[in-house]
Amino acid sequence: MSTEPLALDKPRAPRRPAARRSNFELYSWLFMRISGLALIILVLGHLLIMNILDGGVHRINFAFVAGRWSSPFWQFWDLAMLWLAEIHGGNGLRTIIDDYARKDTTRFWLKILLYVAMAVILFVGTLVIFTFDPNIHS
């Protein structure tokens, strides 16, 4: 029987220095759980109000949206739903890109494309919610 201590191989993945470590993935994971719960409430409330109550989708027209967005409460509701859904989905897609893109350059450009698309959609959606004019005259 050998009395030499058992030696373990070094890990294959190089360890980052402690100073460079961040908790981004932890916060990202936590955000996905919290935003998912908030989105369930926001989306189910939206579907209930828009599709089930007071005659359903047959009453939705320009005047309905104008009346709804005249209230800051509904503007905030729709804005929160837009921002949470966009960032939640973008974060999920970022994770998929990290998991499946093999080359660093491919991963980089896919993420750039994702971030630009997210920024454009958030900008345009926010602009529409806050600049909507119910008094458009044709």
Side-chain angles (χ1 to χ4, degrees), residues 31-103:
F31 171 77
M32 292 297 276
R33 273 56 187 177
I34 293 170
S35 67
L37 290 174
L39 279 168
I40 288 172
I41 294 166
L42 290 169
V43 170
L44 289 179
H46 178 82
L47 290 173
L48 178 71
I49 292 164
M50 300 298 275
N51 297 330
I52 297 172
L53 298 179
D54 294 334
V57 296
H58 301 292
R59 69 184 159 87
I60 299 174
N61 56 22
F62 184 84
F64 177 81
V65 174
R68 181 177 162 107
W69 280 355
S70 65
S71 165
F73 174 80
W74 291 117
Q75 282 183 325
F76 176 76
W77 183 288
D78 289 348
L79 185 70
M81 194 167 43
L82 168 72
W83 276 76
L84 283 175
E86 184 69 30
I87 297 171
H88 183 94
N91 190 33
L93 192 51
R94 178 194 60 83
T95 303
I96 291 170
I97 290 170
D98 282 341
D99 287 346
Y100 290 103
R102 294 178 186 223
K103 294 181 181 178

